[in-house]
Amino acid sequence: MLTENTKSRDEGSSLTERLIAALGQDAVLIDPDDVARYCRDWHGDVTTGAIAVLRPRSTAEVAKAVKACSKFGLGIVPQGGNTGLVLGGIPDAPEHQVVLSLERMSAIRTIDPDDFSAVVEAGCILSTFKDAVAEKGMFFPLALGAQGTCRIGGNVSTNAGGINVLRYGMTRELVLGLEVVLPDGTIFDGLSTLRKDNRGIDLKQIFIGAEGTLGIITAVSVKLTPYPDQVATALLALSSLDDAIRLFRRARRDCCDLMSAFEFMPPLAFTLAQEAMPALPIPIAGDYPAYVLMEISGSGLVDIESLMERFLEGVMEDGLVVDGTVAASQAQARNLWLIREGMNEGQAKRGAHMRTDISVSLSQLPQFIADAEKAVTDRFPDCVCVSYGHVGDGNVHLNVLPAAGLSAGERQAVIYETKTIVNTVVDRYQGSISAEHGIGRLKRADFEERLPGARRKLLTALKQAIDPEMIMNPGCQLNFSVNR
Ligand SMILES: Cc1cc2nc3c(=O)[nH]c(=O)nc-3n(C[C@H](O)[C@H](O)[C@H](O)COP(=O)(O)OP(=O)(O)OC[C@H]3O[C@@H](n4cnc5c(N)ncnc54)[C@H](O)[C@@H]3O)c2cc1C
């Protein structure tokens, strides 16, 4: 077990010397300022530490690092772009853990447009990969606000979602194969690009969404699609969230599944976005109860522009959409998306707040939001609820901004209690407390509380079989221990 073998704080310096001796000076960061950069979460709410940061350059070096950590009884926290929002990528026991950063493994090994596939190393930044693929006329559909920083290995390890899920699925559906360094240093080479391969259990699946608890993903083979060179983006004003769900159903049918994004935003979105970006233009006048940012895209012979026009004509005639604007250029489309992205920054500017990442069945979403917001404001009438997100997937971020003027301690108390209130409503709707961000360390207690016995048994058996010394990302997802 990790705790029995782990060296004490006094032996810290000799441990780092041994790591450097095993892996080379170049691959081990120990300067406290350097290490600190890898030990702060994206929001800057939590800062921890680590014995060292390991930065291998190749799969063989990852295997060597894993063997050294196993020998020295060190826990390994894999890290990609460190944009995860649930504290999965930063240590929770600084004296016993190292961060293993994949940032120097960023090569794109192949892009094969004829095979509609590519092979990329885990440390490649998502947007770098998307750009490289686009240069070959191809498209990798994973798209999220953090794409300029997050890395492919992190995306696979969290089974990331994002704005295009409703058309292309979660990351899992884009992955064809994986290369993984297992906790004993063995390399699992599953980098096939076959689309059909039913030779028994599909082992890659256990590493997708595992948040680094079963091994370190070093490379990924993925599906590509033709680049959608026609994109129509519209910001639409509606009378209610119920109408947004009706609009979504209608759009899926009328647009022949060419819809690639459907984001719901409340009226407060514009205020929040402008608090973060005062110069951002807001293209719709008036104050409507609900807004949808919608995108249709395609390539080849379809005419996306006229499809959007005809669709909007119909839904406006039927009163489903009361106002709206269609982007006339890429720059205008970008500004519409900045409203959605600026909302997050605007909330952060208002101070510490309660954030959720929930899913319930699509048909129940409006009632769920109404019930959860009511439960929160009944208890804290001065709080502001902000509900928005990838509504087409039944995924909503129901966040709570505590009243202005509270002390830091009072804010934390509101955050804690409102999270419990919202999770109770999620349970009533048999929803998920983590639609796409994972469990990490932040949601571990809430996850464990809700874990049925059979699922816990299977997860524990899997962990014990693959990582018997429990060195991979200890403390993340489940508090795995032999006696539970
Ligand atoms: C502004 C913003 C917007 C976001 N929007 C979305 C969104 O729309 N949808 C969504 O799903 N997420 C979103 N996220 C969350 C985050 O970007 C994703 O979870 C992303 O996939 C994390 O990638 P990363 O490289 O930053 O991983 P990290 O944060 O570095 O790590 C995440 C987890 O994966 C593990 N890990 C990382 N790399 C490896 C590896 N190579 N092998 C094994 N384990 C590894 C880590 O230990 C950790 O547990 C957003 C985050 C931000 C900041």
Side-chain angles (χ1 to χ4, degrees):
M1 290 291 294
L2 180 65
T3 44
E4 287 160 19
N5 294 339
T6 307
K7 306 295 174 277
S8 73
R9 188 199 284 266
D10 294 343
E11 290 173 280
S13 61
S14 70
L15 253 180
T16 54
E17 278 162 19
R18 287 154 78 187
L19 279 169
I20 291 169
L23 307 173
Q25 181 84 58
D26 175 54
V28 185
L29 296 180
I30 52 170
D31 179 90
D33 287 341
D34 290 338
V35 173
R37 265 196 313 123
Y38 297 81
C39 297
R40 219 178 358 254
D41 80 312
W42 186 83
H43 282 107
D45 291 347
V46 178
T47 304
T48 63
I51 287 180
V53 176
L54 312 184
R55 299 194 312 145
R57 284 183 187 277
S58 66
T59 305
E61 283 186 18
V62 173
K64 205 167 157 191
V66 167
K67 281 183 188 155
C69 290
S70 164
K71 188 165 154 203
F72 304 148
L74 291 173
I76 304 169
V77 181
Q79 192 178 96
N82 197 16
T83 67
L85 299 174
V86 290
L87 309 181
I90 58 172
D92 56 2
E95 296 101 12
H96 307 306
Q97 295 171 356
V98 295
V99 170
L100 189 146
S101 168
L102 278 298
E103 67 193 350
R104 295 207 296 185
M105 286 191 63
S106 59
I108 298 172
R109 293 189 187 166
T110 56
I111 298 173
D112 185 346
D114 294 333
D115 192 45
F116 295 90
S117 70
V119 179
V120 56
E121 290 187 350
C124 187
I125 289 181
L126 175 58
S127 60
T128 307
F129 178 58
K130 286 169 72 88
D131 290 348
V133 159
E135 270 176 32
K136 308 244 179 200
M138 304 303 286
F139 183 58
F140 183 60
L142 181 63
L144 44 144
Q147 65 189 27
T149 313
C150 63
R151 296 173 191 266
I152 300 286
N155 300 144
V156 175
S157 299
T158 55
N159 185 28
I163 57 173
N164 288 337
V165 170
L166 56 94
R167 171 127 164 228
Y168 300 97
M170 302 279 280
T171 299
R172 186 183 299 284
E173 285 161 74
L174 306 173
V175 173
L176 292 170
L178 292 181
E179 178 186 83
V180 184
V181 173
L182 301 176
D184 65 356
T186 309
I187 297 169
F188 166 71
D189 180 1
L191 270 186
S192 161
T193 55
L194 295 177
R195 268 135 221 274
K196 288 190 166 181
D197 184 6
N198 261 348
R199 288 175 289 176
I201 291 174
D202 184 3
L203 284 174
K204 69 174 178 287
Q205 298 297 348
I206 62 173
F207 301 102
I208 304 175
E211 296 179 88
T213 58
L214 297 178
I216 298 173
I217 295 171
T218 46
V220 186
S221 50
V222 294
K223 286 179 201 165
L224 304 178
T225 64
Y227 191 84
D229 44 18
Q230 299 178 51
V231 181
T233 311
L235 178 65
L236 308 172
L238 291 83
S239 302
S240 66
L241 176 56
D242 281 309
D243 276 356
I245 304 296
R246 281 187 209 108
L247 182 71
F248 174 73
R249 285 196 205 106
R250 172 98 171 247
R252 282 206 66 173
R253 199 191 59 220
D254 286 5
C255 302
C256 183
D257 264 341
L258 291 171
M259 182 170 51
S260 41
F262 191 92
E263 297 286 310
F264 168 74
M265 296 188 291
L268 191 62
F270 303 113
T271 312
L272 288 167
Q274 282 195 320
E275 283 174 17
M277 300 176 227
L280 190 64
I282 301 298
I284 294 188
D287 194 8
Y288 298 97
Y291 295 86
V292 162
L293 183 54
M294 177 180 161
E295 190 185 87
I296 308 175
S297 59
S299 62
L301 302 178
V302 288
D303 183 349
I304 292 295
E305 199 182 313
S306 83
L307 177 61
M308 179 65 103
E309 264 172 32
R310 279 184 292 140
F311 172 68
L312 291 182
E313 257 169 43
V315 290
M316 289 186 103
E317 229 171 75
D318 296 347
L320 211 46
V321 168
V322 286
D323 196 359
T325 177
V326 179
S329 65
Q330 277 188 7
Q332 281 186 11
R334 180 75 202 119
N335 278 342
L336 295 183
W337 279 106
L338 280 178
I339 299 171
R340 169 68 176 81
E341 287 163 25
M343 278 190 74
N344 289 340
E345 225 178 303
Q347 291 172 74
K349 275 185 170 263
R350 291 200 182 185
H353 56 282
M354 202 282 283
R355 296 183 287 270
T356 65
D357 167 35
I358 291 159
S359 64
V360 297
S361 78
L362 187 60
S363 51
Q364 293 186 309
L365 197 70
Q367 193 56 49
F368 164 78
I369 292 177
D371 285 358
E373 288 193 351
K374 181 171 183 315
V376 168
T377 48
D378 278 353
R379 171 71 184 89
F380 294 105
D382 296 336
C383 279
V384 176
C385 293
V386 190
S387 298
Y388 64 102
H390 317 307
V391 153
D393 310 314
N395 181 185
V396 61
H397 302 298
L398 195 162
N399 294 354
V400 179
L401 312 180
L406 295 184
S407 69
E410 288 166 336
R411 267 183 178 257
Q412 283 312 320
V414 172
I415 289 170
Y416 182 79
E417 202 178 325
T418 51
K419 186 192 73 170
T420 309
I421 292 171
V422 172
N423 282 351
T424 307
V425 185
V426 174
D427 292 342
R428 227 168 55 225
Y429 279 78
Q430 296 179 307
S432 167
I433 57 161
S434 182
E436 54 177 17
H437 294 164
I439 300 299
R441 294 175 172 80
L442 189 69
K443 295 191 178 177
R444 197 181 73 196
D446 294 324
F447 173 58
E448 293 210 31
E449 241 174 61
R450 292 165 174 78
L451 199 58
R455 193 164 166 211
R456 178 190 293 277
K457 199 169 144 188
L458 280 171
L459 289 172
T460 307
L462 197 59
K463 177 74 173 174
Q464 284 171 357
I466 296 175
D467 182 18
E469 292 184 8
M470 311 272 167
I471 65 167
M472 284 310 310
N473 217 353
C476 182
Q477 282 202 0
L478 263 190
N479 192 10
F480 289 108
S481 89
V482 182
N483 299 325
R484 279 196 85 98

